[in-house]
Amino acid sequence: MKETDLNKEGTFSPLLPGYPRVIGGVSVDNPIWLAPLAGITFASVRKFYRKLGAGLVHTEMVSALGLCHRGRKTKELLYGSDEERPVVLQLFGSRPDDIERGAETALEIRKFEALQINMACPMPKVTKKGSGAKLMADPKTSAEIVRAMKKPGLPVWAKIRIMPSGSAMTTCEFCELLFESGADFIFIHGRTPAQRYEGKSSRDAIEEAARRFPGLIGGSGDCCEPEDFLDHLDRGCAAVLAGRGILKDVFLIPKTLKALGGEIPSRYCEPSPDFQSELLLELGRSIYNTEGQSQALMISRRMLAALFKGFPGAAQLRRHGALARTWQDMESLLENWRDGKDLPEIEFTKDKFPWGVIGG
Ligand SMILES: Cc1cc2nc3c(=O)[nH]c(=O)nc-3n(C[C@H](O)[C@H](O)[C@H](O)COP(=O)(O)O)c2cc1C
């Protein structure tokens, strides 16, 4: 197997001018961080993007109540190696006691650089139990949760959305309450809870809070190009989250770091198809060995669709990837392709691809 820089310890270290710097109580090499993404930012993916330059990574949201019950599946979400640090544990829940006990249980299992409370998730299965974005409508409980999370002694962060117009509090007033309760950093996703993931994320609303609380606000929403991250930083954000953009362009973080003046090897900014397949193999193997086959297939199919575009044979490769049934099928497909072996032609028909092929 050929080695990419990512295999070798410490060969890809995108320290930006002016860094390391302490943001929200955590020392980081740069302000471009991997967002929490449920079902996606598990350990192998976090390690991969950390090595691709992310200054910090988040776990996906973990149920505080699940941790209190020491559920096996919940505890598995905590798994991760030291290579991914700094890593922030994101919890969700609705009761200060559960959050405090859940945080304590998590910290018995492993170290995290900070604890974050999810006050942003708009999905009914989370909000109907009073968690996620529902907390934004309950400032008293939100403040109590932040105070409870301070007890283990780690920096406490919150992730919120912008307040809908007509709410009892503005976004800035809600931030002020959380800071007064002890929050060390707040991420704002520039959509209201009712917007879920529709419409445009408002950078103006985030900027207002970032100007009012300098160094304490991070931005999130619609960051798909390096310019989007630069814009959030120009508007006063101390850090910016890379969310769905990393699934569309795996190299989004190194490209952004380069735009910020980082010394990034050119193959991370203009990656060749060979290099891309090496990286995908590396990530897929790591997921297969750690999280298992279904996750390895799910992520590698998504990445195949995102990475392999615009060169001869790319559509065929994506079609073969969509039909891979096991990780071994996917692995040998990528190896054969990397080694220059011809792929048999697959026609695009509805019976073979009833779900369609992303970008195919
Ligand atoms: C599939 C998916 C899962 C997400 N999971 C979480 C989560 O667990 N916790 C959280 O705070 N935000 C979560 N988010 C929101 C993202 O962290 C981010 O704030 C949002 O996607 C906006 O950024 P973007 O438009 O650049 O993707 C999720 C978003 C998506 C699309």
Side-chain angles (χ1 to χ4, degrees), residues 26-61:
V26 179
S27 176
V28 292
D29 287 350
N30 68 65
I32 309 303
W33 302 348
L34 182 66
L37 296 170
I40 295 168
T41 52
F42 42 78
S44 300
V45 172
R46 294 197 300 267
K47 188 167 91 179
F48 179 74
Y49 282 105
R50 178 81 180 98
K51 289 191 168 189
L52 273 178
L56 175 146
V57 296
H58 288 82
T59 67
E60 57 188 287
M61 58 179 173

Side-chain angles (χ1 to χ4, degrees), residues 301 319 321-323 325 348 350-358:
R301 281 204 196 105
R319 285 174 196 179
L323 291 181
R325 285 283 159 270
F348 183 87
K350 272 255 178 286
D351 60 323
K352 277 204 194 89
F353 300 96
W355 57 89
V357 178
I358 311 164

